[in-house]
Amino acid sequence: MTTLTPTPAAPTVLSALRSPRLLSREVLAGVVTALALIPEAISFSVVAGVDPAVGLFSSVVIAVVIAIVGGRPAMVSAAAGSVALVIAPLVRDHGIAYLVPTIVLGGVIQLVLGFLGVARLMRFIPRSVNLAFVNALAILIFTAQLPNLFGHDVPFVVWPLTALGVAVIVGFPYLTKAVPAPLIAVVVITAITVVFGIAVPTVGDEGALPTALPGFNGITVPISFDTLTIIAPYAFGMAIVGLIETLLTAQLVDALTDTGSSKWRESWGQGIANIASAFFGGTGGCAMIGQTVINVKTAGARTRISTFAAGASVLVLTIVLHDVVARIPMAALTAVMLMVCVATFDWHSVRPRTLGRMPLGETAVMVITVLVVVVTDNLATGVLVGVVVAALVFARRVAHVVEVVRERVDQDTVRYRVRGALFFASSNDLVTRFSYAEDPATVLIDMSEAHVFDASTVAALDGIEQRFAKHGSRVEVVNLNTGSVALHGKLSGHLG
């Protein structure tokens, strides 16, 4: 007889507070995660076109708030590249004054979508669109780094410094994984430029860093319909992209920890965190895949304490070390972001062997989604277009699997066996599958291997009966399953 060993219960905040060992693990995990979070928060601030302080404080507020109200313990949320890419055109074209109302509206949209159960809609986003989302995100982050390498007055020394940073990030983990490699790269490149007096663009050139806690900010632009028309597209894009990346990351953590989580709570929790971030001058954000993996997989965190510790650590390090942070070369952050692109991009999805095995329709969906994102510079638009194209591809594929087989029962009766899923795409040509002029007085349409999904199919069946009636034949639709019987009985004869 096999003895089953029960899976140990996941640690909770209460159990961690009672255990010095667990508590120290959670706190240290948060500190390590914060060290990896700071370089990217600064980099994403530059991508969004705001001061580094904005991204840093946004990371602090979002991490602290989501640690309390989020649905996935140990997941790290902060100022993210996907959200930065959405709001960058807003800041560039309309000014930073519109940032607060945009993030507030985006948070409200996330709250509403969370309470409406948007997390359940994740099942309708096919894998090809998910792959396209992460690949397009990597491409946009990469293109956002090009001005740091090819921009006006960028000195040549930036190139070897960036290459050195990439080499450190790639090679340092072979020595130890106790300290995040991106942090080592930033320290090494900063030390080189300071010791040798190399003049390169720095973080301080992008804007002043904070020296004190953030204050509460209000909305300074007019609250009017004109303002709404400006911010609404960006707010909606930020809300959708943030939720998609958050829910995908939550699924990843569920798999890593072999535990479940409340996607409903995580959805509206992100909305609360973003609203709080906006009123403290933040850019808004969502779950951070890289930092979450560091927190959960590398550092072994399992509770909300680690997420709270990560946000608090970013605040302390930023306030105490703001002079040091200001001297970080942009080349170091460019190296970090280039490696973020490499880690984000799903290289397996574009291998010739993988593409050769994938159905052509799914490959087309992935390519179209990526192209739409790159052309429009909008992740939300690309995902929506991808889902629509995927639905059309699926409908076209299913439309061709409906089968109609004619059988002679006796001299006066013919049976048609219908097989497949019947809906608007597959039932449109159903009326062409019958021999109206050749059939006898009684026609049986056997639906035992079919299912009626919509009114279009009921209308098609009515049309078949009418065409047979013109030729003097009587039709009986038999063996409908329970769901099909209910729909057919409700609509048949009322759609003409």
Side-chain angles (χ1 to χ4, degrees):
M1 180 177 179
T2 303
T3 302
L4 298 178
T5 303
T7 302
T12 63
V13 170
L14 188 58
S15 64
L17 291 175
R18 290 174 174 172
S19 169
R21 181 181 62 84
L22 289 178
L23 181 60
S24 61
R25 185 189 69 182
E26 295 295 315
V27 172
L28 288 176
V31 173
V32 172
T33 302
L35 294 175
L37 186 60
I38 289 175
E40 289 195 23
I42 297 172
S43 299
F44 292 142
S45 298
V46 176
V47 170
V50 299
D51 291 343
V54 175
L56 289 167
F57 279 144
S58 183
S59 297
V60 171
V61 175
I62 292 175
V64 169
V65 173
I66 207 66
I68 300 171
V69 301
R72 173 64 261 180
M75 189 167 74
V76 178
S77 293
S82 54
V83 174
L85 290 166
V86 172
I87 65 173
L90 170 76
V91 176
R92 182 184 64 242
D93 298 337
H94 301 283
I96 198 170
Y98 285 90
L99 181 61
V100 172
T102 300
I103 303 302
V104 170
L105 179 59
V108 171
I109 293 173
Q110 289 179 329
L111 271 172
V112 173
L113 292 176
F115 282 113
L116 291 177
V118 70
R120 291 192 295 269
L121 298 180
M122 286 296 293
R123 70 188 71 177
F124 296 105
I125 299 181
R127 182 174 182 273
S128 55
V129 177
N130 286 336
L131 290 175
F133 174 83
V134 296
N135 290 346
L137 174 60
I139 292 172
L140 290 184
I141 294 175
F142 173 79
T143 57
Q145 306 312 306
L146 296 181
N148 295 331
L149 296 172
F150 301 100
H152 182 64
D153 292 335
V154 173
F156 174 77
V157 73
V158 165
W159 282 76
L161 288 174
T162 302
L164 175 61
V166 171
V168 171
I169 295 172
V170 172
F172 190 79
Y174 290 100
L175 299 177
T176 178
K177 295 182 180 179
V179 182
L183 179 66
I184 298 300
V186 169
V187 171
V188 169
I189 296 177
T190 303
I192 290 174
T193 57
V194 171
V195 171
F196 293 99
I198 302 174
V200 291
T202 65
V203 170
D205 297 331
E206 301 296 326
L209 287 169
T211 58
L213 294 173
F216 186 83
N217 296 322
I219 297 175
T220 59
V221 296
I223 301 178
S224 64
F225 181 76
D226 290 338
T227 299
L228 181 63
T229 57
I230 292 174
I231 68 174
Y234 301 100
F236 182 77
M238 166 247 171
I240 297 300
V241 167
L243 282 180
I244 290 174
E245 188 164 354
T246 295
L247 294 174
L248 289 176
T249 306
Q251 290 177 357
L252 172 64
V253 179
D254 288 351
L256 288 175
T257 61
D258 196 25
T259 59
S261 61
S262 173
K263 308 302 185 299
W264 170 76
R265 179 175 173 180
E266 188 64 40
S267 298
W268 62 258
Q270 287 291 326
I272 294 175
N274 278 313
I275 293 172
S277 167
F279 282 117
F280 282 96
T283 60
C286 62
M288 303 281 285
I289 296 178
Q291 280 65 32
T292 296
V293 170
I294 290 173
N295 192 49
V296 173
K297 191 173 183 180
T298 304
R302 290 295 182 271
T303 73
R304 301 174 186 275
I305 294 175
S306 61
T307 308
F308 184 91
S313 297
V314 171
L315 179 62
V316 172
L317 292 171
T318 300
I319 298 298
V320 174
L321 301 176
H322 65 275
D323 289 334
V324 176
V325 173
R327 302 185 71 174
I328 295 175
M330 290 302 299
L333 300 184
T334 300
V336 172
M337 297 312 298
L338 290 178
M339 293 311 298
V340 169
C341 297
V342 173
T344 301
F345 198 91
D346 191 312
W347 298 100
H348 179 75
S349 66
V350 295
R351 291 177 181 173
R353 186 176 179 181
T354 303
L355 293 175
R357 291 181 175 180
M358 284 182 63
L360 182 60
E362 293 192 28
T363 301
V365 169
M366 185 172 67
V367 172
I368 290 172
T369 303
V370 170
L371 288 176
V372 171
V373 171
V374 173
V375 171
T376 63
D377 202 27
N378 191 312
L379 288 161
T381 300
V383 169
L384 292 175
V385 170
V387 170
V388 171
V389 174
L392 293 175
V393 170
F394 173 77
R396 183 178 183 275
R397 185 181 302 164
V398 174
H400 295 286
V401 298
V402 173
E403 183 181 4
V404 179
V405 178
R406 184 177 183 271
E407 300 174 348
R408 190 82 184 197
V409 177
D410 53 40
Q411 185 175 357
D412 298 321
T413 307
V414 165
R415 176 187 287 111
Y416 287 92
R417 295 187 182 277
V418 182
R419 303 187 180 99
L422 297 173
F423 63 110
F424 63 91
S426 59
S427 61
N428 280 339
D429 64 343
L430 190 63
V431 293
T432 65
R433 306 285 190 92
F434 298 85
S435 304
Y436 300 98
E438 303 172 9
D439 286 338
T442 302
V443 175
L444 303 178
I445 300 180
D446 187 345
M447 303 287 286
S448 58
E449 299 178 72
H451 184 88
V452 177
F453 280 98
D454 61 4
S456 296
T457 303
V458 177
L461 292 174
D462 286 351
I464 292 168
E465 292 186 38
Q466 292 169 8
R467 292 184 66 169
F468 271 116
K470 290 180 181 179
H471 291 83
S473 300
R474 181 178 61 86
V475 173
E476 292 183 31
V477 180
V478 297
N479 296 329
L480 286 163
N481 59 33
T482 303
S484 299
V485 165
L487 187 63
H488 186 264
K490 180 180 179 181
L491 298 179
S492 182
H494 300 284
L495 299 173

